[in-house]
Amino acid sequence: MKLKYKHQKFQADAAKAVVDVFKDQPYSTPSYMVDQGRNAPALFNGVENYDYSTGWSNAKISQDLTDKLILERIRKIQRDGLIKPSEKLAERSNGYNLSIEMETGVGKTYTYIKTMYELNKAYGWSKFIIVVPSIAIREGVYKSFQSTQDHFAEEYGKKIRFFIYNSSQLSEIDHFASDSSINVMIINSQAFNATGKDARRIYMELDEFRSRRPIDVIASTNPILIIDEPQSVEGKKTKEKLKEFHPLMTLRYSATHKDPYNMIYRLDAIEAYNQRLVKKIAVKGISESGTTATTSYVYLESVNVSKKNPTATLQFDVKLKNGTKPKSLIINEGDNLYDYSNGLEEYKEGFVVTKIDGRDNHVEFLNGLSLYAGEVVGKVDEDQLRRIQIRETILTHLEREQELFYKGIKVLSLFFIDEVDHYRIYNEAGEPENGKFADMFEEEYDSAVHSLRLQLDDNDEYAKYLDAISAESTHSGYFSIDKKGRLTNGKINKKEGISEDTSAYDLIMKNKELLLDRDPKKSPVRFIFSHSALREGWDNPNVFQICTLKQSSSDIRKRQEVGRGLRLCVNENGERMDANVLGDDVQNVNLLTVIASESYDSFAKGLQTEMAEAVSDRPRAVTADLFTGRVLSDCNGNEQIITPELARVINNSMIRNGYIDDDGKLTDKYYTDKTNGNIQVSEKVQDSVESIIKILDTIYDPRATAPENGRANNVTLHVDKNKLASSEFKKLWKQINQKTIYTVDFDSDELVEKSVAALDGHLQVAKVFFKIETGQMDQIDSKDQLSAGEAFSKNGTSTAKISAAPSSQVKYDLVGKIVEDTGLTRKTIIRILQGIKPETFDQFKQNPEDFIIKASSLINDQKATAIIQHITYDLLDEAYDTDIFTDSTIKGQLGKNTIKTNKHLFDHLVYDSDNEKEFATELDASSEVAVYVKLPNSFFISTPVGRYNPDWAIAFYEGKVKHIYFVAETKGSMNSLQLREIEKSKIECAREHFKAISGKNVVYDVVDGYQSLMDKVMK
């Protein structure tokens, strides 16, 4: 398998932010004479005066780019990115310092590789040094360069030469200095910052390096430093050592910056989750119950809800011929554990199940004992808790594996342990044997697979897959290896708490793609046991379960643990399963479950506390100050700075609509209306709803990233086979299951005409203003006051408008940029620009960048309108099969987002809002409705603006209504102004799709509830 990489906007935006700081820097690739040291060869390969001594360095920053101008650029980038503007430039000891925040798992390494290419393309800079804190990250970075090489070469037409610094391979440094292409040296901080002999060599005059110091040759290239995980790299000593490299600038990339020097791009945990760029997190907690009323062992695995009465899966001791053994059984209300345990005395007193509650997942016994899912009581020692964790991990793995098997996705699970001996031991002959965790795993795996196989048909492909893999072959240990080839704990950096053994990482990195292979003969490993010290620097995209089996306390943070599994998964073809592929289903497929050795509440609280620390600069409450000074964009691309007066108007409308509480916190009503596209705002900013939502997204709200309770979704939806086979549903399905393809054939002349009118009528480019501040020098009380810049006080400000943009060296490819932003041809864009009025075009001189952005937006609006007006859907020979209802697993939580149903195709319904719940309830009660279904995400219509998934399909009884078949989209508001532009476009496309496949037999429309549905079908 070869991993496939995609061009993603957020990564391009992060690279662009760095490039834009240095706009106006001329393109240059200066050469210089490399110091060849003593005994430099007069001849090279027999050629006299060979140009072996020519080196290539990064050009210095242009003198025209003053600190003041650089700071202005940084502040503009920060304002555009909703980042708090820097008050001043960060220290310049290592060149300009810039920080880029990127959440774990979104492709940080990919992003800074792309940034290198972009800096080289824009300015000719070609020398880069990546500084990492550990061998793990170093090996991971090197692997990323290898796997992305062809991808970037295809985009940029060149390849990067990269190598890992090794003090015994100094010829690489000569090559680094003398090669004119993009060169990257990867070095871990210990290689120049430790006290060992190898670390000191970089500063020594070495005979084998012709009496030169390696650091001098490196520094002569004026490199750009990229620090990966600076919070782990940059101590006081390291900062001083980094000066020796004489860097042009320093770029810092991390998810958890300790010192955010001039932050120019931020994609933190909240933003990554909001954009669905990482897996959603669920937690299955395991904890001892607070009760001390019994010493009898009982563990509540789960409460199982179906159309019948709920049952409970309980684990308890069972008497066998050779002693007792824990066993898991499905129990009903009224069952007595004493009988099921074969008469064990410990269950004789009151262990009769009196209540099983599926709403909150708890069980009650006659003796007063009450257990919630994940709780255990009785004789529980450390090993028993670990066995429970291992079993839960296996069960969760098998459940996810069965769901994703037919999507071509291999599922991996990761166990973190502290001691290798718990996994692998060696006998006196040196032969490997199972440690206790490996034994537990194989026993529990065989038991779980046996139970699952009883439910599967022998011809089922997944059943065949399970049969082909043994318990012994499906787990493996990734640890350091000693000289005898034995697994070992290896060397642990006590300060950082991470392994320093290269051997521990070789296996992981080299087998990254192999692990993803689903062929049982090639890669049967699905469960990985690894050292808890393997925190940063490696991951695998298909880790779906993480379990921490620890015998002692650890200072490893929860974000570091979950970070090993946050990356979006890939299928068997190496294609990343992101929103572009899965749409709204992306985080149903990409779900990371943590099996924790503590309660759900405890783990979730700890994780959210760490996340809150990581986004400490985000505002915590909605106030008028949140909006003041921010840029507000309307649907036509026009922008305005929010004044304090307008900020109060916006904030007051938030209060009136119930979107913020007395403490300024966002309410559930806000999130419900946001999900439904029904956010209400003041009429004064009606056209800027999306812009306001973007500002509100900067608020830190713990609910935004709260991990799910992995035990909460206790309802699995099952198709009602009788309804699926009913004549009403069959007729409905035949009417709506046809697939189509669209074509758009609009008139270019019409598009040009409408675009010209839109630009002339609505293009308003922001004027360029200068803010003038005046002040005077006060009485100086001390030299410190003068040196700190506190001798002046501001006494006035004024604003000056200029009629044209200041002269600049920047040359704008106006046509090319608009072509890039709109996807139209150069010929069409030239016709549009030639058609607009001179006074409209003159705005380009005032503010070129703003002109390009707003003109492109207006043209895109007209293009979207033209697409909708001229789109045609044609039938394909393909149709959706009813297996879309049986192949996917839908789960919900009874009493929270799931209800039992009567006429739904499934036995339950998972609803997204109260409006959907009410709508389904009324459909269930309607005498006119025969059957209905909330359509799964896999049922979609292709449109030019993305996939569209209608909400409902409804069949009515013949003779009851005028229109028997109806496909509905439910919205909280019927006001078209409240629907987002992209939603309106998709809805119009859906109308054309259903006209093409069914004519007038199926009615498709938007309704806000049952009554508006009936109004339409009765017409």
Side-chain angles (χ1 to χ4, degrees), residues 433-676:
E433 296 178 351
N434 278 349
K436 61 181 180 181
F437 287 163
D439 278 337
M440 288 179 189
F441 172 85
E442 291 178 11
E443 292 168 8
E444 295 298 335
Y445 179 84
D446 281 335
S447 172
V449 170
H450 175 73
S451 298
L452 179 58
R453 278 295 281 111
L454 294 176
Q455 305 170 34
L456 299 175
D457 188 282
D458 287 344
N459 293 321
D460 187 295
E461 290 300 318
Y462 180 56
K464 295 177 182 178
Y465 179 74
L466 290 177
D467 292 344
I469 303 175
S470 67
E472 294 79 14
S473 66
T474 200
H475 66 92
S476 183
Y478 283 179
F479 303 94
S480 300
I481 301 173
D482 64 18
K483 294 179 180 179
K484 295 181 180 180
R486 300 178 181 181
L487 301 182
T488 176
N489 287 325
K491 302 173 185 176
I492 305 299
N493 182 321
K494 294 182 180 179
K495 181 179 180 181
E496 298 294 336
I498 54 181
S499 175
E500 293 183 339
D501 277 357
T502 306
S503 61
Y505 308 108
D506 283 346
L507 187 60
I508 296 168
M509 297 306 173
K510 291 176 182 176
N511 279 317
K512 189 169 187 176
E513 287 85 357
L514 179 61
L515 271 173
L516 296 170
D517 196 311
R518 294 207 308 161
D519 186 341
K521 294 180 181 178
K522 292 181 181 178
S523 179
V525 174
R526 296 133 71 214
F527 298 86
I528 303 163
F529 286 81
S530 194
H531 206 290
S532 59
L534 293 181
R535 299 187 313 196
E536 300 165 333
W538 79 274
D539 55 25
N540 191 291
N542 286 23
V543 170
F544 285 91
Q545 288 74 228
I546 291 178
C547 176
T548 53
L549 302 171
K550 299 176 183 178
Q551 294 296 91
S552 59
S553 61
S554 171
D555 61 351
I556 295 177
R557 293 169 69 81
K558 291 177 171 60
R559 283 195 74 201
Q560 292 170 329
E561 289 176 347
V562 302
R564 302 312 100 222
L566 283 181
R567 197 175 298 275
L568 297 182
C569 68
V570 300
N571 65 9
E572 58 192 339
N573 298 317
E575 183 180 13
R576 194 166 302 283
M577 297 289 96
D578 57 17
N580 292 325
V581 177
L582 299 172
D584 292 338
D585 222 21
V586 61
Q587 285 186 326
N588 293 327
V589 170
N590 286 284
L591 178 67
L592 172 68
T593 302
V594 179
I595 292 82
S597 55
E598 57 186 304
S599 70
Y600 163 77
D601 289 337
S602 174
F603 187 94
K605 183 179 179 181
L607 180 61
Q608 288 193 282
T609 298
E610 292 177 18
M611 286 186 172
E613 293 172 0
V615 294
S616 59
D617 62 332
R618 277 183 176 259
R620 262 36 181 188
V622 181
T623 64
D625 289 341
L626 175 71
F627 300 101
T628 303
R630 296 289 182 91
V631 178
L632 200 64
S633 301
D634 64 20
C635 54
N636 293 318
N638 299 314
E639 296 181 349
Q640 62 173 315
I641 302 296
I642 302 177
T643 63
E645 294 74 20
L646 184 58
R648 284 193 291 273
V649 169
I650 297 171
N651 195 62
N652 288 338
S653 73
M654 295 289 107
I655 296 172
R656 285 196 306 274
N657 288 301
Y659 294 153
I660 51 177
D661 61 20
D662 293 341
D663 297 321
K665 307 295 184 185
L666 291 169
T667 62
D668 290 339
K669 185 176 186 298
Y670 167 76
Y671 287 109
T672 299
D673 284 2
K674 180 184 175 183
T675 299
N676 293 332

Side-chain angles (χ1 to χ4, degrees), residues 307 336 408 805:
K307 267 202 162 182
N336 191 337

